[in-house]
């Protein structure tokens, strides 16, 4: 199993109760990761976050790189993010022909998720702030709370990137 890379006795730190759950673990959602640089410009990362579920419960996130048709696990963990993504997906169902996108504003360690179809640019999709983005937005201005969705330019402004 791909989860065997988790060191023994570190299962709980990676979202699992014990190693026996590995046999029930399946890939759930896949998010294409898109980066935002210091100037607010979007760039491709060739990375994907693959949520891992056990009995329908999101437990961990694998970060996977893709290059020349080859996929490699770069990191595993993010148990809290897995739970957050499950809540976001339940509240915001994916519709046909949409791809899940995770937008990472690296300079602020802030993440957003959104759904993109083939006809909509990343700049025009609704981005839902994850906890990391909500913290960054509320820290950037006293008494400011995050909205439920942002367009990319609004997210960059809220995080005071430019």
């Amino acid at each position: 199993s791909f989860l065997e890379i988790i060191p023994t006795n570190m299962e709980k730190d990676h979202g699992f109760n014990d190693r026996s759950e590995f046999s029930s673990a399946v890939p759930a959602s896949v998010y294409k990761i898109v980066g935002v640089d210091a100037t607010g410009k979007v760039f491709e990362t060739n990375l994907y976050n693959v949520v891992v579920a056990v009995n329908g419960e999101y437990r961990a996130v694998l970060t996977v790189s893709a290059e020349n048709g080859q996929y490699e696990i770069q990191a595993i963990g993010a148990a809290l993010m897995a739970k957050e993504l499950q809540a976001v997906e339940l509240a915001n169902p994916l519709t046909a022909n949409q791809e899940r996108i995770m937008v990472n504003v690296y300079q602020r360690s802030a993440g957003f998720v959104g759904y993109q179809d083939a006809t909509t640019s990343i700049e025009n999709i609704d981005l839902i702030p994850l906890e990391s983005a909500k913290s960054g937005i509320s820290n950037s201005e006293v008494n400011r709370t995050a909205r439920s969705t942002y367009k990319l330019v609004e997210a960059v402004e809220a995080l005071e990137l430019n």
Side-chain angles (χ1 to χ4, degrees):
S1 161
F2 56 89
L3 296 172
E4 295 299 328
I5 62 173
I6 296 173
T8 302
N9 298 322
M10 300 279 298
E11 298 85 3
K12 286 189 184 342
D13 294 338
H14 292 82
F16 300 92
N17 293 317
D18 54 52
R19 295 186 96 68
S20 68
E21 290 187 325
F22 293 178
S23 63
S24 302
V26 296
S29 300
V30 176
Y31 288 82
K32 177 182 175 184
I33 301 175
V34 176
V36 177
D37 69 16
T39 66
K41 299 256 188 283
V42 174
F43 63 92
E44 295 295 322
T45 65
N46 295 323
L47 296 172
Y48 295 85
N49 276 339
V50 180
V51 181
V52 178
V54 174
N55 300 321
E57 180 185 352
Y58 287 13
R59 297 294 191 84
V61 178
L62 298 174
T63 300
V64 178
S65 63
E67 192 169 327
N68 300 323
Q70 299 294 315
Y71 297 90
E72 185 176 327
I73 295 172
Q74 300 297 318
I76 184 168
L80 292 175
M81 184 193 301
K83 291 182 184 321
E84 184 177 11
L85 291 173
Q86 187 163 29
V88 167
E89 289 176 22
L90 289 171
N92 304 277
L94 189 70
T95 60
N97 303 317
Q98 287 184 317
E99 173 183 32
R100 289 180 176 93
I101 305 289
M102 182 169 291
V103 176
N104 284 334
V105 182
Y106 291 105
Q107 283 72 17
R108 297 289 186 261
S109 299
F112 296 81
V113 295
Y115 304 146
Q116 184 179 25
D117 62 34
T119 63
T120 308
S121 71
I122 190 92
E123 290 80 7
N124 291 321
I125 65 173
D126 288 329
L127 297 173
I128 301 161
L130 297 175
E131 284 303 319
S132 60
K134 290 176 185 175
S135 294
I137 291 166
S138 61
N139 288 340
S140 69
E141 189 174 304
V142 177
N143 297 323
R144 185 177 194 171
T145 57
R147 298 195 331 240
S148 59
T149 63
Y150 293 82
K151 298 299 185 195
L152 182 62
V153 68
E154 295 169 331
V156 167
E157 288 171 2
L159 290 165
E160 297 181 346
L161 199 57
N162 308 9

